[in-house]
PDB file of all heavy atoms in Angstrom:
ATOM      1  N   ARG A   5     184.764  23.976 155.310  1.00  0.00           N
ATOM      2  CA  ARG A   5     184.629  24.898 156.433  1.00  0.00           C
ATOM      3  C   ARG A   5     185.875  24.929 157.315  1.00  0.00           C
ATOM      4  O   ARG A   5     186.102  25.876 158.022  1.00  0.00           O
ATOM      5  CB  ARG A   5     183.412  24.506 157.273  1.00  0.00           C
ATOM      6  CG  ARG A   5     182.112  24.850 156.560  1.00  0.00           C
ATOM      7  CD  ARG A   5     180.931  24.419 157.346  1.00  0.00           C
ATOM      8  NE  ARG A   5     180.691  23.013 156.938  1.00  0.00           N
ATOM      9  CZ  ARG A   5     179.952  22.168 157.602  1.00  0.00           C
ATOM     10  NH1 ARG A   5     179.397  22.508 158.722  1.00  0.00           N
ATOM     11  NH2 ARG A   5     179.765  20.948 157.166  1.00  0.00           N
ATOM     12  N   PRO A  15     190.559  49.427 149.978  1.00  0.00           N
ATOM     13  CA  PRO A  15     189.970  50.670 150.520  1.00  0.00           C
ATOM     14  C   PRO A  15     189.321  51.487 149.412  1.00  0.00           C
ATOM     15  O   PRO A  15     189.814  51.534 148.295  1.00  0.00           O
ATOM     16  CB  PRO A  15     191.168  51.400 151.120  1.00  0.00           C
ATOM     17  CG  PRO A  15     192.356  50.847 150.403  1.00  0.00           C
ATOM     18  CD  PRO A  15     192.016  49.431 150.048  1.00  0.00           C
ATOM     19  N   LEU A  27     185.749  62.322 142.593  1.00  0.00           N
ATOM     20  CA  LEU A  27     186.920  63.162 142.385  1.00  0.00           C
ATOM     21  C   LEU A  27     188.127  62.550 143.081  1.00  0.00           C
ATOM     22  O   LEU A  27     188.006  61.950 144.143  1.00  0.00           O
ATOM     23  CB  LEU A  27     186.659  64.565 142.923  1.00  0.00           C
ATOM     24  CG  LEU A  27     185.505  65.317 142.266  1.00  0.00           C
ATOM     25  CD1 LEU A  27     185.266  66.635 142.987  1.00  0.00           C
ATOM     26  CD2 LEU A  27     185.812  65.568 140.808  1.00  0.00           C
ATOM     27  N   ARG A  30     193.804  63.872 145.472  1.00  0.00           N
ATOM     28  CA  ARG A  30     194.881  64.844 145.288  1.00  0.00           C
ATOM     29  C   ARG A  30     194.353  66.022 144.471  1.00  0.00           C
ATOM     30  O   ARG A  30     193.349  65.935 143.795  1.00  0.00           O
ATOM     31  CB  ARG A  30     196.093  64.203 144.633  1.00  0.00           C
ATOM     32  CG  ARG A  30     195.815  63.562 143.304  1.00  0.00           C
ATOM     33  CD  ARG A  30     197.085  62.916 142.764  1.00  0.00           C
ATOM     34  NE  ARG A  30     196.867  62.005 141.678  1.00  0.00           N
ATOM     35  CZ  ARG A  30     196.543  62.326 140.438  1.00  0.00           C
ATOM     36  NH1 ARG A  30     196.332  63.565 140.123  1.00  0.00           N
ATOM     37  NH2 ARG A  30     196.402  61.423 139.499  1.00  0.00           N
ATOM     38  N   THR A  42     195.556  80.515 132.082  1.00  0.00           N
ATOM     39  CA  THR A  42     195.645  81.178 130.779  1.00  0.00           C
ATOM     40  C   THR A  42     194.309  81.195 130.062  1.00  0.00           C
ATOM     41  O   THR A  42     194.046  82.091 129.262  1.00  0.00           O
ATOM     42  CB  THR A  42     196.688  80.492 129.887  1.00  0.00           C
ATOM     43  OG1 THR A  42     196.340  79.119 129.747  1.00  0.00           O
ATOM     44  CG2 THR A  42     198.075  80.623 130.457  1.00  0.00           C
ATOM     45  N   PRO A  45     191.497  84.383 131.214  1.00  0.00           N
ATOM     46  CA  PRO A  45     191.650  85.723 130.612  1.00  0.00           C
ATOM     47  C   PRO A  45     191.430  85.731 129.098  1.00  0.00           C
ATOM     48  O   PRO A  45     190.798  86.651 128.566  1.00  0.00           O
ATOM     49  CB  PRO A  45     193.092  86.116 130.949  1.00  0.00           C
ATOM     50  CG  PRO A  45     193.482  85.257 132.085  1.00  0.00           C
ATOM     51  CD  PRO A  45     192.700  83.994 131.948  1.00  0.00           C
ATOM     52  N   GLY A  47     189.610  83.582 127.283  1.00  0.00           N
ATOM     53  CA  GLY A  47     188.180  83.367 127.037  1.00  0.00           C
ATOM     54  C   GLY A  47     187.356  84.592 127.381  1.00  0.00           C
ATOM     55  O   GLY A  47     186.435  84.972 126.641  1.00  0.00           O
ATOM     56  N   LEU A  58     178.718  92.297 118.522  1.00  0.00           N
ATOM     57  CA  LEU A  58     177.260  92.189 118.420  1.00  0.00           C
ATOM     58  C   LEU A  58     176.605  93.547 118.614  1.00  0.00           C
ATOM     59  O   LEU A  58     175.703  93.926 117.855  1.00  0.00           O
ATOM     60  CB  LEU A  58     176.728  91.183 119.446  1.00  0.00           C
ATOM     61  CG  LEU A  58     175.219  91.014 119.482  1.00  0.00           C
ATOM     62  CD1 LEU A  58     174.722  90.439 118.161  1.00  0.00           C
ATOM     63  CD2 LEU A  58     174.803  90.148 120.645  1.00  0.00           C
ATOM     64  N   LEU A  65     172.997  98.296 112.115  1.00  0.00           N
ATOM     65  CA  LEU A  65     171.751  97.925 111.453  1.00  0.00           C
ATOM     66  C   LEU A  65     170.656  98.952 111.749  1.00  0.00           C
ATOM     67  O   LEU A  65     169.871  99.307 110.858  1.00  0.00           O
ATOM     68  CB  LEU A  65     171.313  96.526 111.895  1.00  0.00           C
ATOM     69  CG  LEU A  65     170.083  95.949 111.213  1.00  0.00           C
ATOM     70  CD1 LEU A  65     170.333  95.818 109.708  1.00  0.00           C
ATOM     71  CD2 LEU A  65     169.727  94.608 111.803  1.00  0.00           C
ATOM     72  N   PHE A  72     168.170 101.756 104.045  1.00  0.00           N
ATOM     73  CA  PHE A  72     167.716 100.639 103.226  1.00  0.00           C
ATOM     74  C   PHE A  72     166.286 100.848 102.759  1.00  0.00           C
ATOM     75  O   PHE A  72     165.937 100.550 101.614  1.00  0.00           O
ATOM     76  CB  PHE A  72     167.802  99.309 104.004  1.00  0.00           C
ATOM     77  CG  PHE A  72     169.192  98.784 104.161  1.00  0.00           C
ATOM     78  CD1 PHE A  72     169.551  98.105 105.308  1.00  0.00           C
ATOM     79  CD2 PHE A  72     170.155  98.944 103.179  1.00  0.00           C
ATOM     80  CE1 PHE A  72     170.824  97.600 105.460  1.00  0.00           C
ATOM     81  CE2 PHE A  72     171.433  98.459 103.321  1.00  0.00           C
ATOM     82  CZ  PHE A  72     171.776  97.785 104.469  1.00  0.00           C
ATOM     83  N   PRO A  81     166.980  96.045  93.083  1.00  0.00           N
ATOM     84  CA  PRO A  81     167.375  95.619  91.737  1.00  0.00           C
ATOM     85  C   PRO A  81     168.899  95.466  91.585  1.00  0.00           C
ATOM     86  O   PRO A  81     169.371  94.560  90.894  1.00  0.00           O
ATOM     87  CB  PRO A  81     166.861  96.724  90.818  1.00  0.00           C
ATOM     88  CG  PRO A  81     165.797  97.403  91.587  1.00  0.00           C
ATOM     89  CD  PRO A  81     166.188  97.272  93.022  1.00  0.00           C
ATOM     90  N   ILE A  84     169.794  92.189  93.124  1.00  0.00           N
ATOM     91  CA  ILE A  84     169.376  91.099  92.229  1.00  0.00           C
ATOM     92  C   ILE A  84     170.352  90.979  91.060  1.00  0.00           C
ATOM     93  O   ILE A  84     170.768  89.874  90.688  1.00  0.00           O
ATOM     94  CB  ILE A  84     167.930  91.332  91.738  1.00  0.00           C
ATOM     95  CG1 ILE A  84     166.952  91.145  92.906  1.00  0.00           C
ATOM     96  CG2 ILE A  84     167.593  90.378  90.600  1.00  0.00           C
ATOM     97  CD1 ILE A  84     165.527  91.520  92.575  1.00  0.00           C
ATOM     98  N   ALA A  85     170.753  92.116  90.480  1.00  0.00           N
ATOM     99  CA  ALA A  85     171.694  92.091  89.349  1.00  0.00           C
ATOM    100  C   ALA A  85     173.042  91.525  89.771  1.00  0.00           C
ATOM    101  O   ALA A  85     173.631  90.688  89.066  1.00  0.00           O
ATOM    102  CB  ALA A  85     171.862  93.497  88.785  1.00  0.00           C
ATOM    103  N   GLY A  87     173.589  89.529  92.318  1.00  0.00           N
ATOM    104  CA  GLY A  87     173.377  88.100  92.603  1.00  0.00           C
ATOM    105  C   GLY A  87     173.341  87.257  91.335  1.00  0.00           C
ATOM    106  O   GLY A  87     173.932  86.177  91.266  1.00  0.00           O
ATOM    107  N   GLY A  97     181.811  78.607  85.704  1.00  0.00           N
ATOM    108  CA  GLY A  97     182.913  77.816  86.253  1.00  0.00           C
ATOM    109  C   GLY A  97     182.549  76.354  86.412  1.00  0.00           C
ATOM    110  O   GLY A  97     183.337  75.458  86.094  1.00  0.00           O
ATOM    111  N   LEU A 104     185.809  70.032  81.303  1.00  0.00           N
ATOM    112  CA  LEU A 104     187.186  69.548  81.423  1.00  0.00           C
ATOM    113  C   LEU A 104     187.240  68.114  81.945  1.00  0.00           C
ATOM    114  O   LEU A 104     187.999  67.282  81.441  1.00  0.00           O
ATOM    115  CB  LEU A 104     187.985  70.464  82.348  1.00  0.00           C
ATOM    116  CG  LEU A 104     188.434  71.789  81.761  1.00  0.00           C
ATOM    117  CD1 LEU A 104     189.118  72.641  82.825  1.00  0.00           C
ATOM    118  CD2 LEU A 104     189.388  71.554  80.607  1.00  0.00           C
ATOM    119  N   LYS A 118     192.773  52.144  72.989  1.00  0.00           N
ATOM    120  CA  LYS A 118     193.874  51.901  72.049  1.00  0.00           C
ATOM    121  C   LYS A 118     194.732  50.735  72.510  1.00  0.00           C
ATOM    122  O   LYS A 118     195.221  49.958  71.702  1.00  0.00           O
ATOM    123  CB  LYS A 118     194.753  53.145  71.908  1.00  0.00           C
ATOM    124  CG  LYS A 118     194.197  54.188  71.008  1.00  0.00           C
ATOM    125  CD  LYS A 118     195.176  55.342  70.875  1.00  0.00           C
ATOM    126  CE  LYS A 118     194.619  56.435  70.002  1.00  0.00           C
ATOM    127  NZ  LYS A 118     195.548  57.565  69.895  1.00  0.00           N
ATOM    128  N   PRO A 122     194.569  46.094  69.826  1.00  0.00           N
ATOM    129  CA  PRO A 122     195.325  44.979  69.240  1.00  0.00           C
ATOM    130  C   PRO A 122     194.870  43.618  69.765  1.00  0.00           C
ATOM    131  O   PRO A 122     194.780  42.655  68.994  1.00  0.00           O
ATOM    132  CB  PRO A 122     196.774  45.270  69.642  1.00  0.00           C
ATOM    133  CG  PRO A 122     196.826  46.735  69.859  1.00  0.00           C
ATOM    134  CD  PRO A 122     195.466  47.103  70.373  1.00  0.00           C
ATOM    135  N   GLN A 124     191.865  42.903  70.791  1.00  0.00           N
ATOM    136  CA  GLN A 124     190.561  42.635  70.195  1.00  0.00           C
ATOM    137  C   GLN A 124     190.706  42.240  68.725  1.00  0.00           C
ATOM    138  O   GLN A 124     189.963  41.380  68.247  1.00  0.00           O
ATOM    139  CB  GLN A 124     189.656  43.859  70.327  1.00  0.00           C
ATOM    140  CG  GLN A 124     189.263  44.143  71.758  1.00  0.00           C
ATOM    141  CD  GLN A 124     188.483  45.438  71.905  1.00  0.00           C
ATOM    142  OE1 GLN A 124     188.409  46.235  70.980  1.00  0.00           O
ATOM    143  NE2 GLN A 124     187.907  45.639  73.081  1.00  0.00           N
ATOM    144  N   ARG A 130     191.299  35.387  65.109  1.00  0.00           N
ATOM    145  CA  ARG A 130     191.165  33.971  65.488  1.00  0.00           C
ATOM    146  C   ARG A 130     189.738  33.477  65.288  1.00  0.00           C
ATOM    147  O   ARG A 130     189.512  32.369  64.803  1.00  0.00           O
ATOM    148  CB  ARG A 130     191.594  33.788  66.951  1.00  0.00           C
ATOM    149  CG  ARG A 130     193.098  33.895  67.169  1.00  0.00           C
ATOM    150  CD  ARG A 130     193.496  33.405  68.554  1.00  0.00           C
ATOM    151  NE  ARG A 130     192.791  34.102  69.638  1.00  0.00           N
ATOM    152  CZ  ARG A 130     193.227  35.197  70.249  1.00  0.00           C
ATOM    153  NH1 ARG A 130     194.364  35.747  69.868  1.00  0.00           N
ATOM    154  NH2 ARG A 130     192.532  35.743  71.216  1.00  0.00           N
ATOM    155  N   ALA A 136     185.847  30.571  59.347  1.00  0.00           N
ATOM    156  CA  ALA A 136     186.189  30.185  57.970  1.00  0.00           C
ATOM    157  C   ALA A 136     186.444  28.679  57.883  1.00  0.00           C
ATOM    158  O   ALA A 136     185.994  28.015  56.930  1.00  0.00           O
ATOM    159  CB  ALA A 136     187.413  30.960  57.490  1.00  0.00           C
ATOM    160  N   SER A 141     184.510  23.415  56.163  1.00  0.00           N
ATOM    161  CA  SER A 141     184.177  21.999  56.389  1.00  0.00           C
ATOM    162  C   SER A 141     182.700  21.735  56.106  1.00  0.00           C
ATOM    163  O   SER A 141     182.338  20.685  55.554  1.00  0.00           O
ATOM    164  CB  SER A 141     184.547  21.580  57.811  1.00  0.00           C
ATOM    165  OG  SER A 141     183.733  22.249  58.748  1.00  0.00           O
ATOM    166  N   LYS A 144     182.228  21.616  52.364  1.00  0.00           N
ATOM    167  CA  LYS A 144     182.729  20.347  51.854  1.00  0.00           C
ATOM    168  C   LYS A 144     181.733  19.226  52.136  1.00  0.00           C
ATOM    169  O   LYS A 144     181.430  18.405  51.257  1.00  0.00           O
ATOM    170  CB  LYS A 144     184.080  20.036  52.495  1.00  0.00           C
ATOM    171  CG  LYS A 144     184.742  18.792  51.966  1.00  0.00           C
ATOM    172  CD  LYS A 144     186.092  18.610  52.639  1.00  0.00           C
ATOM    173  CE  LYS A 144     186.741  17.341  52.145  1.00  0.00           C
ATOM    174  NZ  LYS A 144     188.029  17.096  52.799  1.00  0.00           N
ATOM    175  N   SER A 149     177.491  15.612  50.175  1.00  0.00           N
ATOM    176  CA  SER A 149     176.128  15.060  50.248  1.00  0.00           C
ATOM    177  C   SER A 149     175.369  15.302  48.930  1.00  0.00           C
ATOM    178  O   SER A 149     174.608  14.436  48.473  1.00  0.00           O
ATOM    179  CB  SER A 149     175.361  15.648  51.432  1.00  0.00           C
ATOM    180  OG  SER A 149     175.105  17.008  51.234  1.00  0.00           O
ATOM    181  N   GLU A 151     176.792  15.552  45.983  1.00  0.00           N
ATOM    182  CA  GLU A 151     177.393  14.617  45.017  1.00  0.00           C
ATOM    183  C   GLU A 151     176.852  13.206  45.225  1.00  0.00           C
ATOM    184  O   GLU A 151     176.519  12.501  44.264  1.00  0.00           O
ATOM    185  CB  GLU A 151     178.919  14.621  45.190  1.00  0.00           C
ATOM    186  CG  GLU A 151     179.662  13.777  44.182  1.00  0.00           C
ATOM    187  CD  GLU A 151     181.154  13.829  44.409  1.00  0.00           C
ATOM    188  OE1 GLU A 151     181.656  14.851  44.922  1.00  0.00           O
ATOM    189  OE2 GLU A 151     181.810  12.843  44.076  1.00  0.00           O
TER     190      GLU A 151
END
Side-chain angles (χ1 to χ4, degrees):
R5 287 178 273 163
L27 299 174
R30 57 182 165 73
T42 57
L58 178 64
L65 184 61
F72 285 146
I84 290 173
L104 283 175
K118 281 183 182 179
Q124 292 174 349
R130 287 193 304 269
S141 67
K144 184 178 178 182
S149 68
E151 184 180 331

